[in-house]
Amino acid sequence: MDISPKTSNDISFDDFKTQILTDYKIAVLSRTCSLMGRKEVLTGKAKFGIFGDGKELPQLAMARSFKNGDFRSGYYRDQTFMMALGLLTPKDLFHALYATTDIEKEPMSAGRQMGGHYVTYSLNEDGSWKDLTKQKNSSADISCTAGQMPRLLGLAQASKMYRNLKNIDASKFSNQGDEVAWGTIGNASTSEGMFLETINAAGVLQVPMVISIWDDDYGISVPAEYHATKEDISEMLSGFKRTEEKAGFEMLKVKGWDYTALMHAYENASDIAREEHVPVIIHVTELTQPQGHSSSGSHERYKSQERLNWEKENDCNKRFREWILETGITTEEELGALEKDILKQVRKAKKEAWAEYLTTHQPHKKKLVTLLDNAASKSANKNFITKIKNDLIATDEPLKKDLAIGARKALRYLIGEDFQEKNDLLKWTSEFLAETQPKYSADLYNEGPNRATNISEVKPTYGESPEMVDGRLILRDNFEKLFENNPNALVFGEDTGAIGDVNQGLEGLQEKFGKLRIADTGIRETTIIGQGTGMALRGLRPIAEIQYLDYIFYALATLTDDVACLRYRTFGKQKAPLIVRTRGHRLEGIWHSGSPMASLIHSLRGMYILSPRNMTQAAGFYNTLMKSDEPALIIESLNGYRLKERKPENLGEFCTPIGVVETVKKGSDITLVSYGSTLRIVEQAAKELKQVGIDAEVIDAQTLLPFDIRHDTVKSVQKTNRLLVIDEDVPGGCSAYILNEIVENQKGYMYLDSTPQTLSAQAHRPAYGSDGDYFSKPNAEDIFEKVYAMIHESDPENYPKLR
Ligand SMILES: Cc1ncc(C[n+]2csc(CCOP(=O)(O)OP(=O)(O)O)c2C)c(N)n1
Ligand SMILES: [Mg+2]
């Protein structure tokens, strides 16, 4: 195997010249945008700016090797790369700086993300997939350093799947797995665990990934000596380098101002990754930050004069220019004219973007001024309203919030008055808020027909005398159908493959579906989620398994920063329908019986969180999610795998509805709401309560996010007038969330005869052993006594004090 870099580039001089001048133009265009962009922040027109200056040249090389179908997973420095591919114009860049909320004008996120966060569209208007093989793709950036790495692994792994899996629908996603996933990361961010975990996993998996490290020796103010062992990332990573005998990474090191060396390195990396499916690291050194890290702060504060001088001398654009002149490709005059022309272009783009940004507000301002004027003329508070109007007139460039504040404050002065002009202002205010709010809040979940909560329930069906089997067998046999019916579905995690998961819910399925679809992974929760995210972004239907719920915290950053907010931050232009499978709730000890549901429901808005009470409900959730296209977390009950359940006939078909509660026992005295493993104990307590004449209604929440979208629970409270929410999270955790949903959102308070209450676990982590469980989590006696006390409070005669 020849692993030396290619050194020849077989093109004619004319083509060579054209290529170089095209690249130089982009380099200058990008730099000019960076310089002008920073000024926009310093003059107050934009809040924050982070730019691509000092990293232009390697990105031009990367762009030249980037092909249709490929994916980028990078960070905020990649402005030049996006421009080189025609995916970012100067005007787009300025709209992003100003936070224009029109997706047509600010195509990266409609103003939701800071500038420098890039995306391409994977979805059509109707939410269906575009043909990703016909376009150049960028997964949506996040600000968290190295947060782009886990998903990069999955983006690369998708090519491997498409190359090796038979009978899979690859038409919109892959051409024989020829696509490369291109990662970029700053030198300092390579200290993050996510980077190192990704590198190791990619080396093990051997996926077509090219990671570029843009090394400018700094991470904001902190120099290299604090970041990398031996101050050299290549040296630090050298153990990952492949050899003739052992698979690993191809590793290249190249100077960031050396145009030809960069071109060769990138061509070479592309070929190795694309053809051989070998991961490649390109360590690009000697890069600079001409304006420092971002618009907040200046690098003169922390760089020595010597370093600053060195950066000036070795600025990649400057050295590119010198090289062009040295090689006689063109003349000083031609370059000068080109630079002048670009300056004009960028100025024009900036002016146009600012004008467009303002025009979205000006008509509203005009209208509001008129309405305020009219209302003032009739109001007893004329002077106050006129002041608001004049302040608004004096604000040349009002924000949307200035309009909202003006209108809403004026309405306070109109309280108690009644005339048409006031009604006109009221109407305008409501309409303005209704139109504006979605610009900031829409697309957290799918708002189209595939929304998970729209998938209809299909009940499990049973024969006349259904077989009673261990719950795990229902899961297993349902998974078998699910993988048969969905060739793009796959599952992976620690112990998921060969043994079919630690509870054997996938027993024997690897033999049937192969090692790629039912796969073991290393112990690395973050990149397990990353594999799932990246593959879901490329049309596969991954189920990523986190072995125990308590270990999900290792992956929580990726789930919250990347998966849960993907649809929101891209304004609905990308989706990653990842299913995360895990098992939790009460079993044994601190790390095998946690139920930290509040931590999850509060950090994973944008995902669905499902907590089925048994394996039939769980299996039904998997079937539902396969029909939808949204990400979700399913927590199977750890202590439910060996409990007997009736085996349904329609495995692979029945669907548990999402967002719907189920009444598992009817009753009239009190409504008990619970979920997961605790529900079984609530059912037990309800039976015991019945023996003393208390008839509890028991409701299984099932879906924590969203909870009870049909508002069925309040109907129960209307009947019982009492409410207790029981779970095994900490006090004030998920039980408080559910209480809030019922009492406030469903207006349950209107029907209550006694204080609504919660019963949760202790605040500490659950102690080991059966006694540990009893004294850490709510038990049947706790529930009995709590309910009894609530009934005793209103009817002490019939229910005298218990203890
Ligand atoms: C997880 C996380 N921690 C801290 C930050 C704040 N931060 C933003 S950029 C940065 C330095 C990154 O340096 P490097 O990776 O070398 O990239 P460069 O900006 O130099 O290109 C830091 C600390 C962050 N965005 N995310
Ligand atoms: Mg850096």
Side-chain angles (χ1 to χ4, degrees), residues 55 75-77 143-145 185-189 192 214 216 218-220 289 293:
K55 316 284 188 297
Y75 78 117
Y76 51 76
R77 289 285 176 228
S143 297
C144 332
T145 50
I185 187 164
N187 56 301
S189 304
E192 293 278 14
W214 305 146
D216 57 14
Y218 280 83
I220 309 187
Q289 295 180 346
H293 173 77

Side-chain angles (χ1 to χ4, degrees), residues 9 15-31 56-65 80 83-85 259-260 262-263 317 320 323-324 335 338 342:
N9 196 340
D15 288 346
F16 185 52
K17 180 177 170 178
T18 312
Q19 169 184 324
I20 287 164
L21 287 184
T22 307
D23 282 350
Y24 185 69
K25 267 187 212 162
I26 302 285
V28 175
L29 184 77
S30 178
R31 176 65 61 87
E56 289 88 347
L57 224 50
Q59 295 184 22
L60 292 166
M62 179 168 136
R64 289 215 169 262
S65 289
T80 312
M83 286 185 164
L85 293 185
Y259 183 76
T260 46
L262 285 164
M263 286 295 160
N317 281 14
F320 188 27
W323 176 80
I324 292 171
L335 289 187
L338 179 153
I342 288 171

Side-chain angles (χ1 to χ4, degrees), residues 279-294:
V280 183
I281 293 172
I282 309 181
H283 182 191
V284 183
T285 59
E286 300 199 9
L287 289 169
T288 66
Q289 295 180 346
Q291 306 187 100
H293 173 77
S294 71

Side-chain angles (χ1 to χ4, degrees), residues 532-569:
T533 313
M535 288 198 279
L537 280 162
R538 291 190 60 196
L540 293 163
R541 292 308 312 268
I543 302 175
E545 191 176 306
I546 298 293
Q547 196 163 75
Y548 295 98
L549 178 60
D550 291 283
Y551 303 122
I552 202 166
F553 288 107
Y554 276 41
L556 192 62
T558 299
L559 286 168
T560 180
D561 293 331
D562 202 1
V563 181
C565 69
L566 176 75
R567 198 179 275 273
Y568 174 78
R569 74 179 189 272

